[in-house]
Amino acid sequence: MANINIPEIFGCRVFNDATMKERLPKGTYKDLKKTIEEGKALDIAIANVVAHSMKEWAIENGATHFTHWFQPMTGITAEKHDSFISPTPDGKVIMEFSGKELIKGEPDASSFPSGGIRATFEARGYTAWDPSSYAFIKDGSLCIPTAFCSYTGEILDKKTPLLRSMEVVNVQALRILRIFGDTTTKRVETTVGPEQEYFLVDKEVFNKRKDLIYCGRTLFGARPPKGQELDDHYFGTIKPRVSAYMKELDEELWKYGILAKTKHNEVAPAQHELAPIFDTSNIATDHNQLTMAVMKRVAERHGLVCLLHEKPFAGVNGSGKHNNWSMSTNKGKNLLDPSKNPRENTQFLVFLAAVIKAVDEHQDLLRLSVASAGNDHRLGANEAPPAILSMYLGDELTAVLHSIETDQVYENKQDSIMQTNANVLPNFVKDTSDRNRTSPFAFTGNKFEFRMLGSAENIACTNTIINTIVADVLQEFADILEKAEDVKAAAEALVKKTLAEHKRIIFNGDNYSDEWVAEAERRGLLNLRSLPEVMPMYVSPKNVALFGKHGIYTEVELRSRCEILLEKYSKIINIEALTALDMAKKDIVPAVAAYIRDLAETANLIKSVDAEIVTVPETELMKKLANLLSCFLRKIDLLDKAVMGAKEVDGVADKAMYYKEKVLAAMQELRAVADEMESNMSAKLWPYPSYGTMLFSV
Ligand code: ADP
Ligand code: MG
């Protein structure tokens, strides 16, 4: 294979800073940069020049169309492509793209989920360019990352609140920096590095499974003889076919200017992970959306299907997305860097305390930000963090905070040297924070890693919430500290008070243990296992006030979001139930019946040869399967009734709860019988590829 020149291809499909600098008139470039840096709206005169230059570049790179690329509440990205063509009087066309088309689009909003907003307002929607996220070329279209709102200004997407929340962090974090004497920092950005997990299955195998096609997850499937119990997949050697996929994926992502960095096999068979280098939250979000789309596309070219669902297979790990989060100044200083001596780094301690308080006070929001029908299968199972939120700080910070709480002197920990005791290996300095893989919200050196996110979800919602809750506490802290005469003393007192009030959220032990569930309950921490339980909390008075105060969501917007998410949950379970019924009635029942007939015929044959034979083994198996099949038919009936019953339930919240308690439960019962039959069936007659085939055939 030919060598590729990575620096050369990196960002070749992106109208990035270097390209802008090269192609835009100096003045326009400067104006645009200023607009981006100050987070201002773009002037139409500048936009016209930028649009022209963008179009020329796009055409040179094979584009014929442009599209505003946005993130509606569907969870995936949306695009509507317009060609650059414009007719001329002589019957020909010229290629045109105006500043107006660049900065504003008017897609019809009526077919996107709006949670009732549309009913009360006009159907028109607007998209507006987010100039801090570069335009890029995908499939011959110039894609312009945009925000999406309704005619009257209600937001209809996931990007706008994220941008708003970043601004709120900027304002409040700057206040803290000023209090500590920093007069030069201009902006504080939140940064995110999302680690993305996924499964790869063979395309031909995938095509034989209706459940994977319609639902992205298996609804049936007996456990294979081998799963992940040997821990031999995690970080294991990557198979050639997967390796070829990952190689092309990296190259594609690099062309989009995405900093794909780490790739490895994950715990479950056929499961893998990709992590980029972190970026500012909005760009990390755009890039993660693009990454997921590219992952799926590249897979097709390798005869594979990339599954992003949180729980494609029962019995092995599901997929998550670790959201590494921090705050950084425009000068690149990480505000969550504890430095060599965190005990004396009061500014760091204030930021740390703010995150602790925010997480404790808003467990509900963090939990609901990761709730989805898919992720419900993961949280609370023995693989991902549990549904209970808690924070891990590591030994050093825990000791530092303890010394503050108890007014004790803190002995600054020296770098501890790891003795490898093998001459050929170098000794190395140990990190001061160890890892706790079971913690949902862990401090990992100079950032927090929120691990409850599902693999398929857009990270915008979670980051909007992290930003807002942290900004809210920073504001409260800034209000107090700005009035203090002795800032250091006041800040220490504030940290101490915060710890006393919120240390229940800190837990350094094993989050998977039963003892923790009991302990968490004693501490009064929330344990919300499913979306229908947690989602209605979105619109609690506390949350309406919080989002309103910071201008992130109005109450109308919040209610619409809550409704959309509850509705989506019900729709997903409904699709799953209908798929399960379809598979059960059309494929599984006939297959088992056919096998029973085979067995009966064989039994009769044996008896016809020797009428003396009393016990024919085929008869035993036939009876067993016939019993299972009758039971299966009853379960089909129950699921059918459960699905019908949903029509009688009013209200989105009650409906979602019904789907969870009645429909999902009936699906699980149906599955149990199917899996039992599969285990006792001829593999040849079973209508679907087995778990073994799906998990081990790539
Ligand atoms: P691990 O799997 O050990 O958690 P990875 O290297 O897979 O670590 O992922 C760590 C992620 O954290 C990467 O995406 C990395 O870019 C990101 N990260 C590092 N520093 C920061 C930061 N300051 N802010 C946000 N994300 C960060
Ligand atoms: Mg990782």
Side-chain angles (χ1 to χ4, degrees):
M1 216 179 274
N3 276 340
I4 55 151
N5 184 337
I6 302 173
E8 202 164 285
I9 64 160
F10 189 83
C12 67
R13 292 194 191 133
V14 184
F15 197 68
N16 56 20
D17 193 57
T19 314
M20 288 193 229
K21 202 168 185 172
E22 186 190 306
R23 292 187 160 247
L24 291 175
K26 255 208 183 94
T28 313
Y29 172 75
K30 263 196 176 158
D31 288 342
L32 181 63
K33 278 291 268 194
K34 200 157 168 256
T35 319
I36 295 171
E37 269 157 22
E38 291 175 1
K40 297 246 168 70
L42 196 62
D43 185 83
I44 187 71
I46 307 174
N48 277 328
V49 184
V50 177
H52 175 77
S53 164
M54 228 183 224
K55 177 202 72 186
E56 297 292 304
W57 168 82
I59 291 172
E60 278 167 38
N61 285 283
T64 52
H65 288 66
F66 72 93
T67 176
H68 279 200
W69 183 80
F70 56 103
Q71 300 172 28
M73 292 303 292
T74 52
I76 52 174
T77 52
E79 44 200 77
K80 178 187 114 203
H81 305 262
D82 281 308
S83 69
F84 290 122
I85 62 165
S86 169
T88 54
D90 58 356
K92 300 193 139 199
V93 293
I94 52 165
M95 301 295 259
E96 272 188 345
F97 183 49
S98 67
K100 190 169 161 279
E101 287 170 310
L102 168 64
I103 54 180
K104 200 172 109 194
E106 290 190 31
D108 181 1
S110 58
S111 293
F112 291 106
S114 77
I117 283 181
R118 234 181 30 242
T120 30
F121 302 96
E122 261 202 77
R124 245 184 306 166
Y126 287 121
T127 50
W129 183 32
D130 163 17
S132 61
S133 185
Y134 303 133
F136 57 90
I137 296 174
K138 181 166 71 79
D139 292 334
S141 273
L142 171 68
C143 300
I144 300 146
T146 53
F148 180 44
C149 63
S150 76
Y151 177 66
T152 40
E154 277 79 15
I155 49 174
L156 296 172
D157 71 344
K158 304 205 174 205
K159 186 78 181 286
T160 316
L162 176 66
L163 291 168
R164 290 177 179 173
S165 73
M166 290 169 71
E167 193 46 43
V168 181
V169 170
N170 172 46
V171 171
Q172 301 305 335
L174 273 179
R175 285 177 70 198
I176 302 285
L177 292 183
R178 298 283 183 264
I179 290 166
F180 283 96
D182 175 341
T183 53
T184 51
T185 294
K186 283 201 181 118
R187 261 194 91 77
V188 171
E189 302 271 17
T190 50
T191 53
V192 173
E195 303 166 45
Q196 178 73 47
E197 292 181 340
Y198 61 98
F199 278 86
L200 288 177
V201 294
D202 188 273
K203 173 93 181 144
E204 278 183 29
V205 173
F206 172 92
N207 281 339
K208 292 183 182 137
R209 301 255 350 178
K210 290 179 191 166
D211 43 7
L212 287 182
I213 294 172
Y214 297 133
C215 313
R217 77 174 179 105
T218 53
L219 302 174
F220 298 103
R223 304 292 148 91
K226 179 179 189 293
Q228 64 189 40
E229 53 281 84
L230 294 180
D231 293 325
D232 52 353
H233 196 254
Y234 189 60
F235 283 13
T237 314
I238 300 169
K239 289 183 192 163
R241 200 168 159 203
V242 175
S243 173
Y245 165 79
M246 288 178 165
K247 185 175 181 313
E248 193 184 333
L249 176 61
D250 276 338
E251 288 175 19
E252 282 288 299
L253 294 174
W254 291 331
K255 287 180 188 170
Y256 286 113
I258 296 173
L259 295 157
K261 174 81 174 166
T262 309
K263 52 187 180 185
H264 60 80
N265 284 350
E266 259 301 332
V267 171
Q271 191 186 30
H272 314 281
E273 179 182 301
L274 176 135
I277 297 175
F278 69 94
D279 216 321
T280 48
S281 305
N282 60 328
I283 292 173
T285 300
D286 287 359
H287 281 179
N288 183 248
Q289 289 298 114
L290 193 53
T291 297
M292 291 193 284
V294 173
M295 281 177 145
K296 289 189 171 244
R297 268 222 319 229
V298 173
E300 297 270 332
R301 295 206 279 270
H302 290 255
L304 298 166
V305 175
C306 174
L307 302 177
L308 292 172
H309 193 283
E310 283 82 5
K311 193 71 183 175
F313 305 102
V316 297
N317 274 12
S319 298
K321 186 140 60 186
H322 292 177
N323 191 83
N324 293 273
W325 179 92
S326 190
M327 291 168 281
S328 158
T329 69
N330 58 308
K331 293 185 254 173
K333 186 180 157 27
N334 182 346
L335 298 179
L336 289 179
D337 181 356
S339 66
K340 279 258 175 240
N341 190 353
R343 178 66 181 84
E344 295 310 314
N345 190 345
T346 317
Q347 180 186 298
F348 162 75
L349 293 172
V350 166
F351 281 113
L352 180 71
V355 181
I356 294 171
K357 181 172 159 93
V359 173
D360 185 34
E361 277 182 349
H362 303 288
Q363 297 161 45
D364 56 342
L365 285 175
L366 287 168
R367 174 64 187 88
L368 71 83
S369 85
V370 297
S372 70
N375 215 18
D376 274 6
H377 297 290
R378 232 178 116 243
L379 298 174
N382 243 25
E383 43 163 297
I388 306 164
L389 256 148
S390 71
M391 297 173 86
Y392 169 81
L393 298 178
D395 293 342
E396 186 184 21
L397 286 187
T398 304
V400 166
L401 295 181
H402 183 73
S403 82
I404 295 172
E405 233 191 313
T406 52
D407 294 315
Q408 280 169 357
V409 190
Y410 175 74
E411 287 289 333
N412 198 29
K413 210 165 130 194
Q414 297 304 311
D415 284 343
S416 66
I417 303 291
M418 175 89 167
Q419 300 285 347
T420 55
N421 291 335
N423 287 338
V424 291
L425 300 177
N427 291 331
F428 52 86
V429 179
K430 281 200 285 189
D431 264 341
T432 50
S433 76
D434 193 13
R435 295 279 162 134
N436 180 331
R437 290 275 168 205
T438 70
S439 175
F441 209 105
F443 188 76
T444 46
N446 57 5
K447 60 186 178 348
F448 275 101
E449 184 171 348
F450 184 29
R451 303 196 175 116
M452 287 167 90
L453 287 80
S455 48
E457 286 300 300
N458 185 320
I459 61 172
C461 175
T462 295
N463 284 291
T464 300
I465 284 174
I466 298 178
N467 293 349
T468 307
I469 63 178
V470 172
D472 186 60
V473 182
L474 289 176
Q475 178 176 35
E476 184 193 320
F477 284 7
D479 287 345
I480 296 169
L481 296 178
E482 274 169 0
K483 292 190 203 104
E485 280 175 14
D486 179 345
V487 168
K488 194 168 162 72
E492 285 219 359
L494 184 61
V495 171
K496 187 175 168 182
K497 177 169 173 280
T498 307
L499 282 175
E501 287 167 5
H502 299 285
K503 69 177 175 199
R504 64 169 186 170
I505 197 72
I506 296 166
F507 176 63
N508 291 330
D510 179 2
N511 283 263
Y512 298 169
S513 66
D514 294 335
E515 294 80 55
W516 169 234
V517 177
E519 166 69 16
E521 195 178 335
R522 272 195 296 279
R523 294 190 190 187
L525 300 179
L526 294 176
N527 185 2
L528 300 159
R529 292 169 189 281
S530 70
L531 183 143
E533 281 168 81
V534 70
M535 198 50 75
M537 296 181 175
Y538 219 169
V539 291
S540 70
K542 170 197 85 136
N543 293 334
V544 170
L546 173 78
F547 289 117
K549 175 178 165 196
H550 296 289
I552 308 292
Y553 301 117
T554 61
E555 184 166 353
V556 170
E557 289 166 345
L558 208 53
R559 289 197 180 280
S560 92
R561 245 144 245 257
C562 180
E563 192 167 305
I564 290 170
L565 293 166
L566 284 163
E567 240 173 30
K568 183 174 173 188
Y569 176 90
S570 297
K571 284 179 185 165
I572 287 173
I573 311 272
N574 193 53
I575 293 170
E576 288 183 349
L578 296 180
T579 305
L581 285 168
D582 182 282
M583 293 170 79
K585 291 179 192 172
K586 294 192 180 140
D587 302 331
I588 298 177
V589 170
V592 179
Y595 189 47
I596 291 173
R597 198 168 53 237
D598 278 3
L599 291 170
E601 278 168 15
T602 313
N604 284 340
L605 205 66
I606 295 171
K607 283 198 174 165
S608 72
V609 175
D610 182 353
E612 304 288 289
I613 291 182
V614 195
T615 50
V616 181
E618 277 74 7
T619 318
E620 294 301 306
L621 185 53
M622 190 181 77
K623 275 190 209 153
K624 180 173 183 172
L625 280 167
N627 280 335
L628 284 169
L629 189 57
S630 319
C631 177
F632 193 61
L633 290 171
R634 278 198 303 279
K635 301 288 180 196
I636 288 178
D637 205 37
L638 288 176
L639 181 56
D640 255 331
K641 290 205 174 86
V643 172
M644 296 293 281
K647 293 197 179 74
E648 314 297 319
V649 185
D650 291 325
V652 279
D654 288 347
K655 199 167 224 156
M657 188 57 91
Y658 176 90
Y659 268 103
K660 174 190 166 252
E661 290 191 333
K662 296 290 186 294
V663 181
L664 201 55
M667 278 167 63
Q668 270 150 2
E669 283 183 32
L670 181 70
R671 175 184 185 145
V673 187
D675 293 358
E676 178 71 20
M677 293 194 297
E678 184 186 351
S679 307
N680 289 286
M681 273 275 294
S682 141
K684 272 204 196 102
L685 290 182
W686 192 253
Y688 307 114
S690 67
Y691 258 47
T693 305
M694 286 187 281
L695 288 170
F696 294 98
S697 67
V698 172

